[in-house]
Amino acid sequence: MEELFKKVFNNKFIRKLIFEFVSQPNGYKYDDIHSLSWICSNGYFGLAYDKLKFNKDQLTERFGMLNLFELLTQMNSTQSASQLLKYLLTEHDFDLKKEPIGNNNNKEEEEEEIIRNRRNQFFTCLPSLDYMSDNCSLEDILLLESVIPNDLLSNVTSTDALDKAPLNPNPLNRDSIVKHLLNNRNEGCSFRILINSMAINDLQLLKYIIENNKQNFNEILVANSKIPTTTTKTTTKTTTKTTTTTTTTTAMDFEAPEIIIGKCIRNLNIELLEYVLDEFPKFGFDFSQLNWFTMIEYSLQCISPNLNNQQQQQQQQQQQQQTTTVLYLGDKINKDKVLLMIKYIVENKITEKDRQLLSVRIKNLDLLLNSFLFCIMNSLIDILDYLINQCKLITLPIDKQQLSQCFYYQYLYSISFESLEFCHKNGINIWDLKNNGSFIINDLQSFKFVKQNNLSNKFSISCIDLNSMKYIFDNFKSTIDIDSILIESAALGEISILIYLSQVIDRSNFTEELAHVALKEKKLDVIRFLYHDLAIEIDLSYLLIVASASNNTDAVIMIFQEFKLEPSLITQEFLTACCIKPEGLQLFKYLYSICPQEKKPTIPISTLNNCIKLKLWNFVDWLLDNIYCNSNTNNTNNTNNKDDIKVIDCGISNLRIVKKLIENGFTFSKKSFNNCFENVKVLEYIHNHFPKQECTTEAIDLASRHDCYNSVKFLLDNRNEGYDMAIQFCLTRGWFEIIELLTSTQRYKDLHNPNKPQKQPLYFDQIDQIISINSSMMLSIVIKENHNLKLPITGQQITNAIKKSGHLSIFNQLLNISKDITPSILYQCLIISISYNRIHIINYLRKKLSL
């Protein structure tokens, strides 16, 4: 261990990272971390494993299946996440102590059986395999299948498991999981798997899926072509009904063809595109009406504008601003690949008839001109040359009116020297084709080009380089916008340009606005220059307000120290504005320290409550030690006012802070106690310290809603307020363990008095949400609560179960409890099942309908 320590801390880079991390404000110690939700939502699966296995008593909040898999699916599979899953599947005791254990000789076997049942419930409450396929490893899935009985696992697995597997970020996991699920499970897949495999640019995986799943795909196509529909005709004379049966074909539920091929195009893989165009139509995909001019646009969108112009890159680095761009699967790729894709589209997909109809089909012309404009703006000279000079898809001269419609109203477009030069050589006066606004040029070559061609009135000038500034001032003084250049220079902190301009233009152009711009961008040297060197009149009190609101500590300190401001400017609003972010503490402490003792502003209790809400424990500690401390004789806060009564009015999860608050004379409102559900130890401490502490039914409702099992259990055992909506919350989230607690109480019996008539079946309003979380177990609870009576389930709810979950168990349950299931509803279910490619439901319905 000592040797490992030396290796780590002898590395300057690693040592710096460690100290930067541990010095961050509002950090947590190991013993202070008690929430599994917080641990896993921050990706600390290794810490979750360690806490569960070695320090479970420190965890005051239990953890539900939905939480775990929601979090796992938000991040890439990691070794620590797999370690946590393995522990839950093989070692976790699922709190055996809460189960009644008999005194017989088979106690050990009975305990193992209880743990096994709990584990099965935990991993089948929700579709665990569906959640895992696109994020976990094959080893994780094999472990799940080896531990959970297949009959239980099959009930909560749908076509989604295989459909999402190609989206697994790890290529090795992706291939192995797809092959395993195809060869070893019976749920099948939908055509969605083809689109997902294509979208990730995995041609080999796509070929494997098609070759090894043709039978299932063909079954869907056959079923789709043979759906009988019933038509009823009624005659007015005899009022007799005639029923006829016809055969129809339903449309598969695919995305629009342009979206599907657009995903393929963005991979810039011509071989993949050809394969998709050849194979997908065999499975019902129709690409016959595809607009290939749109596909040219999709190809161009693979290029991030940031990466095409070196000068623009340098400017962005100098500005230290991150430009917002739309990121696609093909972002940051070689422009040559884009050109190859465009050549393939033009030479193989755009026909001579398409070219001839360009002037007629205005939409296609607009698409083409949009592509042309995109190339101009992003210096894609090779692509421009191909579209104009080689394939002549864009013909010159370009219609001014048509192109002007492609420009956004009054938007300034930046254009590079390369694009200007290309346009000039090809006789394209791009600067004359824009009706609104103007183009921006911002490099020396472009300035010289504009000068040589007498085009200064066609462009707006942006400059952040001193040499360029001198050039444009010497050559374009009468046409440049001085105010814009000053604002830009102040925002970028270009002192050299500001100094130069102060020597060649009237000082009256330098206004207070420049200081405001500089402050916003944290360019304090600009403010110093304006105030000290140019003697610009600046409202320093306004700057102070802005700097404080943005927690700009350096700016506030500079304003007070360099400009000699009076501390009397520091008001209560100044100080409370600091209590928003953890980094505000340094500023708060500085402002509070420079105030004279007799003039220190009063800090209201609401400030402390806000810090607790935001979990700014470092702030809370400082406030309690320096402002609200009972032993602080220098405390200037007036606690006699009604607004200053020491009452905490928000939830709190930190037990150490709770103890500190009580030591300093604070109490807790009903609202506060209701919201302390996150940490059961806090509930226990407040409850024991204040025997008459008030709360409402909201306490258990909130604890249930957030899967805080221990808090629910404590409140049920020690409080008598009861609950109102707790079971409903649990049903819609899958908290089956809490439901077991709630249904064992007298409150449950009171709410479910058989002698009290119910307006509608119990928990019927939660069925739609249960369907959306794909929980067969929660649906079973609703059925049981209604004593297996028939419920007014609608056909819409049944078809939604097919669309949203595709789980046969849920679908079957809804059919069994529905009051009115007619053949027409079953046929509609079959149509929806085919449309969504739910092969296991299709086979079930074909047997039920004897098709």
Side-chain angles (χ1 to χ4, degrees), residues 158-164 166 182 187-197 209 213 216-217 220 252-254 283 285 832-840 842:
S158 74
T159 55
D160 285 349
L162 192 47
D163 285 348
K164 295 193 301 182
L182 268 177
E187 290 81 17
C189 59
S190 74
F191 290 119
R192 176 67 49 192
I193 192 175
L194 301 182
I195 298 174
N196 288 341
S197 301
I209 292 169
N213 202 53
N216 283 339
F217 289 155
I220 296 173
M252 298 290 185
D253 185 61
F254 301 142
F283 305 113
F285 293 84
I832 297 296
S833 300
I834 292 172
S835 179
Y836 283 79
N837 316 145
R838 306 294 193 186
I839 186 66
H840 51 317
I842 293 173

Side-chain angles (χ1 to χ4, degrees), residues 75-109:
M75 54 196 72
N76 294 346
S77 177
T78 61
Q79 184 177 357
S80 58
S82 295
Q83 185 184 40
L84 175 59
L85 276 173
K86 183 178 180 181
Y87 171 76
L88 292 171
L89 282 165
T90 58
E91 298 182 60
H92 188 46
D93 62 7
F94 292 91
D95 295 325
L96 180 65
K97 62 184 178 182
K98 72 183 180 69
E99 295 287 353
I101 303 297
N103 295 321
N104 54 42
N105 296 328
N106 297 324
K107 182 177 179 179
E108 185 175 342
E109 293 181 7

Side-chain angles (χ1 to χ4, degrees), residues 67-298:
N67 275 20
L68 175 63
F69 281 111
E70 279 183 342
L71 297 171
L72 280 175
T73 53
Q74 290 170 6
M75 54 196 72
N76 294 346
S77 177
T78 61
Q79 184 177 357
S80 58
S82 295
Q83 185 184 40
L84 175 59
L85 276 173
K86 183 178 180 181
Y87 171 76
L88 292 171
L89 282 165
T90 58
E91 298 182 60
H92 188 46
D93 62 7
F94 292 91
D95 295 325
L96 180 65
K97 62 184 178 182
K98 72 183 180 69
E99 295 287 353
I101 303 297
N103 295 321
N104 54 42
N105 296 328
N106 297 324
K107 182 177 179 179
E108 185 175 342
E109 293 181 7
E110 187 177 347
E111 288 179 350
E112 291 179 0
E113 180 65 20
I114 291 171
I115 293 174
R116 184 160 50 250
N117 290 336
R118 282 287 164 193
R119 183 183 298 120
N120 291 342
Q121 285 179 304
F122 186 84
F123 280 96
T124 59
C125 177
L126 295 166
S128 51
L129 189 55
D130 287 1
Y131 277 105
M132 292 172 64
S133 65
D134 64 337
N135 203 64
C136 296
S137 66
L138 178 60
E139 289 72 20
D140 296 330
I141 290 176
L142 291 175
L143 180 60
L144 176 74
E145 291 178 335
S146 67
V147 173
I148 307 301
N150 187 58
D151 58 333
L152 295 178
L153 196 57
S154 297
N155 284 338
V156 294
T157 305
S158 74
T159 55
D160 285 349
L162 192 47
D163 285 348
K164 295 193 301 182
L167 300 179
N168 196 300
N170 187 318
L172 296 178
N173 289 340
R174 181 190 308 154
D175 291 348
S176 59
I177 291 174
V178 167
K179 292 176 181 179
H180 170 76
L181 295 178
L182 268 177
N183 297 323
N184 295 279
R185 298 205 62 84
N186 300 320
E187 290 81 17
C189 59
S190 74
F191 290 119
R192 176 67 49 192
I193 192 175
L194 301 182
I195 298 174
N196 288 341
S197 301
M198 174 206 69
I200 61 167
N201 196 22
D202 196 329
L203 179 57
Q204 297 305 314
L205 181 62
L206 180 60
K207 288 181 177 180
Y208 179 88
I209 292 169
I210 289 179
E211 291 171 1
N212 290 272
N213 202 53
K214 281 186 177 179
Q215 182 177 353
N216 283 339
F217 289 155
N218 289 332
E219 285 182 13
I220 296 173
L221 292 174
V222 171
N224 181 49
S225 64
K226 295 182 178 180
I227 298 177
T229 60
T230 302
T231 306
T232 302
K233 299 179 181 179
T234 305
T235 61
T236 55
K237 291 183 179 180
T238 62
T239 66
T240 58
K241 294 182 179 180
T242 304
T243 301
T244 59
T245 300
T246 59
T247 300
T248 185
T249 301
T250 184
M252 298 290 185
D253 185 61
F254 301 142
E255 295 169 315
E258 289 186 359
I259 294 178
I260 295 174
I261 297 302
K263 291 180 178 180
C264 187
I265 290 284
R266 289 176 185 138
N267 290 312
L268 299 179
N269 186 336
I270 294 175
E271 184 182 3
L272 174 66
L273 177 61
E274 290 179 330
Y275 183 82
V276 168
L277 293 174
D278 289 340
E279 293 295 325
F280 277 35
K282 298 176 183 177
F283 305 113
F285 293 84
D286 184 7
F287 301 135
S288 59
Q289 302 300 317
L290 202 64
N291 189 330
W292 286 99
F293 292 99
T294 302
M295 297 304 106
I296 292 178
E297 271 204 314
Y298 280 141

Side-chain angles (χ1 to χ4, degrees), residues 533-571:
D533 295 23
L534 300 185
I536 303 298
E537 291 187 7
I538 299 174
D539 185 351
L540 297 175
S541 61
Y542 175 78
L543 287 187
L544 184 63
I545 293 173
V546 175
S548 299
S550 59
N551 287 319
N552 190 342
T553 305
D554 294 337
V556 172
I557 294 175
M558 182 202 77
I559 292 170
F560 270 105
Q561 292 181 351
E562 295 192 22
F563 303 145
K564 312 297 183 184
L565 291 187
E566 288 295 325
S568 59
L569 289 172
I570 301 173
T571 63

Side-chain angles (χ1 to χ4, degrees), residues 293-294 296-298 300-301 362-378 380 384 387 394 398 402-408 413:
F293 292 99
T294 302
I296 292 178
E297 271 204 314
Y298 280 141
L300 290 170
Q301 289 171 350
I362 301 301
K363 177 184 176 182
N364 288 350
L365 182 57
D366 285 345
L367 289 169
L368 195 57
L369 292 178
N370 275 330
S371 299
F372 164 76
L373 184 60
F374 183 91
C375 293
I376 290 290
M377 296 303 103
N378 295 284
L380 305 179
L384 278 171
L387 292 174
I394 297 176
I398 295 175
Q402 192 69 37
L403 183 62
S404 65
Q405 297 176 5
C406 299
F407 291 95
Y408 291 105
Y413 287 82

